[in-house]
Amino acid sequence: MALRFASVLAIALLIGGGVGWAAAAPAAQHAQGHAKAKPAHGHDVADGSDQTDGSDEDHPDADVDEAATATARVKSYVVSAGSAKPLDAWKPPKLPDLSGYTEAAVMQKLRRTPTGRVHVGSMFGQPAFKNFMGRDGRMREWALRQRSMPKVIFISGGYVTPSDMARALPKEYFAQTQPGVFVARLPIHVEPGATLHIDREAKDFRLSLDRGAFLINDGDLFITHSRLEGWDEAHDKPAWFESEDDFRPFLLSWGGSRTYIVHSTVAHLGYAASKAYGISISQYSPSLAPILKRREPTGWLLDSEFFDNWFGFYCYEARDVVIRGNTYHHNIKYGIDPHDRSHGLIIAKNTVHDTRIKHGIIVSREVTNSWIIDNKSYDNGLSGIVVDRSSVRNVIALNKSYRNHSDGITIYESPNTLIWRNLVLANNRHGIRVRNSIEVQLRDNVAVGNQLSGIYGHIKDLSDTGRNLKLDPFQPSISLTVVGGKLVSNGSGPVTIDQPLSLELYDVDLLEPRRALGIDLSGVLGRHQEKVLDILVRQRLPVVVKPVSLDVSSADP
């Protein structure tokens, strides 16, 4: 494997100069803790009554490569030469300006007056804690860990720091155990209108695993030049992940909140329970949101490190979240996972690697008008980057996704997606895979040395997968426009398309075939390989592929 990666890396470096790419050398890997993560399985864990954690339902071992059987299923298609003018006239989108997302801009948002108040009160009757008092028995968990009726540290009325909290509270609830090290031994609630600033004076802010501590933000939370982590007080060590069912502290910012994490480390948080994933920004549940009437939550996560969290990041019905310049490594189920109806997101210049169970970066279920740009995603349990479940009008550009255990980039049931100038390298399955999605554009991408196809487009019937078809509908249709780029030395061939509604293929370099017989196309293209290559290579015109039923005027079957 190391030898194969070295060879395809060399190819990528050689061709990268022409389009502004070079494959980055992977960072040194270091597994930490004693994680016992369960393997990927067919159905995701339910997240309460209103949502699921929601990625694809494919297991990489069970989802066989359909390229080998595609030809047998395909109906008659028309292959013809198209006009290059509309494809050449395409203009790339203007990428978002990242220069304004800085520490200085974050600090301008910080309000240090008035001074806030800190007190301890009951957890009962607080909307922010309703999700933790329900049928899953977590109220019993808090009572046992606190050895009393569940209490909460409330921050209200203004600006508060950990030092302020230590002065105001008994040590049994919150303490500075050594200079710059603070331990919270109760859950913390930052109320609407309040600000908690975990600043550089708090070099380590610990949430006690033993006492059931966690952090709920309904106001403003700033973590700057600090460290937030789950802490095992009984053994005086970080709360390393052991099992998805075991409580670990977590951070959750509710509707109406703002969350800013800058130049900090967040680790050892979260487990597989509703709203307790690790680092979450979430609107209130559908039962509470209409009552509380709080705007969508938002936040910026900049230049920070996130590791050993159940999810490195999760959001639900959030807006304009910026995730820029961070490192996500050795998180358990997902690295970065924006979810239901979140929109206007920027996920840029992050490095995401060694996610243990599933994907490095995934946006899922109606995540719209968002950008995934200039990230590195590698050595993840499944795919490097995924767009899933009716997530539309998103741009995936300038990313490097390599050596992942499934695909480099995967698009599931998400039409109107642009995949532009990405490098997908040495992934264990396809370079780029598109399933059940129409109006997907792939432009100027480079796919090198992937085990299966460089680009694979297919349909799939999901009716018998346990999928909630009302919440997550699908149409077994696919249409692709593939323009520019290079497909180099991919195991099952450069391009495989299974039963497209339409396909345009233009100005794509097909290089270094692995097979001794040369370029070998599969699926629809394989049935018409001679004509496809004549149009694409000799005539240098777009190849247009449509089912006969959509173009009965042509006599070419």
Side-chain angles (χ1 to χ4, degrees), residues 316-541:
Y316 170 83
E317 294 187 350
R319 64 173 176 86
D320 302 331
V321 174
V322 177
I323 304 170
R324 196 228 67 203
N326 305 292
T327 298
Y328 292 82
H329 66 90
H330 297 93
N331 294 291
I332 312 306
K333 193 161 189 180
Y334 299 104
I336 300 173
D337 181 21
H339 230 275
D340 304 49
R341 296 170 295 282
S342 296
H343 59 95
L345 313 179
I346 297 175
I347 303 170
K349 296 185 177 297
N350 302 286
T351 297
V352 186
H353 66 90
D354 290 283
T355 308
R356 298 177 190 176
I357 298 179
K358 288 203 170 185
H359 314 298
I361 301 171
I362 175 172
V363 299
S364 183
R365 191 173 289 137
E366 301 177 55
V367 175
T368 61
N369 300 315
S370 296
W371 303 82
I372 303 174
I373 53 176
D374 199 13
N375 302 282
K376 290 189 293 184
S377 187
Y378 62 90
D379 288 340
N380 296 293
L382 288 180
S383 294
I385 298 171
V386 178
V387 179
D388 181 40
R389 301 193 187 203
S390 303
S391 295
V392 301
R393 299 186 301 279
N394 297 300
V395 175
I396 299 91
L398 301 169
N399 301 286
K400 302 177 183 71
S401 184
Y402 55 96
R403 231 173 36 210
N404 296 289
H405 294 178
S406 187
D407 309 317
I409 297 173
T410 308
I411 310 299
Y412 286 139
E413 294 74 57
S414 292
N416 196 5
T417 299
L418 172 61
I419 307 169
W420 175 47
R421 294 189 65 196
N422 300 280
L423 171 64
V424 288
L425 169 68
N427 295 288
N428 285 4
R429 293 183 60 74
H430 307 285
I432 299 173
R433 175 154 65 129
V434 181
R435 183 183 77 189
N436 295 342
S437 304
I438 62 172
E439 299 182 13
V440 175
Q441 293 197 57
L442 294 85
R443 288 183 173 268
D444 300 319
N445 298 287
V446 174
V448 182
N450 300 285
Q451 289 278 16
L452 299 178
S453 297
I455 295 171
Y456 178 42
H458 68 117
I459 65 173
K460 186 171 183 178
D461 184 356
L462 304 175
S463 301
D464 61 351
T465 61
R467 187 184 185 97
N468 184 330
L469 297 181
K470 289 185 178 179
L471 190 61
D472 296 312
F474 76 96
Q475 290 293 329
S477 301
I478 183 169
S479 65
L480 302 180
T481 299
V482 183
V483 178
K486 304 176 192 296
L487 306 176
V488 185
S489 191
N490 296 288
S492 294
V495 186
T496 301
I497 305 295
D498 175 18
Q499 303 187 67
L501 191 64
S502 66
L503 167 68
E504 289 182 286
L505 185 67
Y506 174 52
D507 193 29
V508 182
D509 289 339
L510 311 179
L511 305 172
E512 297 287 337
R514 286 215 202 148
R515 295 174 179 175
L517 296 177
I519 297 296
D520 186 14
L521 303 177
S522 302
V524 174
L525 298 177
R527 293 187 64 192
H528 302 272
Q529 176 163 318
E530 185 175 343
K531 186 167 187 178
V532 168
L533 294 179
D534 178 71
I535 296 170
L536 183 68
V537 178
R538 187 183 67 81
Q539 299 183 48
R540 301 187 69 82
L541 290 171

Side-chain angles (χ1 to χ4, degrees), residues 73-78 524 527-528 546-550 556-557:
R73 298 197 308 270
V74 166
K75 306 299 181 184
S76 295
Y77 278 82
V78 175
V524 174
R527 293 187 64 192
H528 302 272
K546 291 184 178 180
V548 167
S549 60
L550 296 183
D556 188 1

Side-chain angles (χ1 to χ4, degrees), residues 106-107 109-118 153-166 169 174 182 184 186-200 202 205-207 214-224 226-228 250-253 257-262:
V106 167
M107 299 310 289
K109 298 175 182 292
L110 181 62
R111 298 185 296 268
R112 298 178 186 268
T113 58
T115 300
R117 301 181 300 277
V118 181
I153 298 169
F154 293 98
I155 297 172
S156 60
Y159 177 84
V160 169
T161 68
S163 296
D164 298 328
M165 297 174 67
L169 297 170
F174 190 92
F182 297 85
L186 290 178
I188 299 169
H189 183 207
V190 183
E191 295 189 284
T195 298
L196 173 60
H197 184 192
I198 302 174
D199 57 3
R200 65 173 70 243
F205 191 98
R206 298 170 176 175
L207 299 171
F214 53 94
L215 177 52
I216 300 295
N217 175 33
D218 260 321
D220 285 354
L221 173 65
F222 290 76
I223 304 174
T224 59
S226 187
R227 183 183 186 94
L228 173 69
F250 55 90
L251 161 62
L252 168 62
S253 290
S257 67
R258 302 189 305 170
T259 301
Y260 300 97
I261 302 176
V262 185

Side-chain angles (χ1 to χ4, degrees), residues 124-141:
F124 291 106
Q126 301 293 328
F129 294 89
K130 184 176 180 180
N131 268 80
F132 313 122
M133 301 181 186
R135 59 192 176 280
D136 57 4
R138 280 189 281 179
M139 178 59 72
R140 187 180 305 109
E141 176 103 49

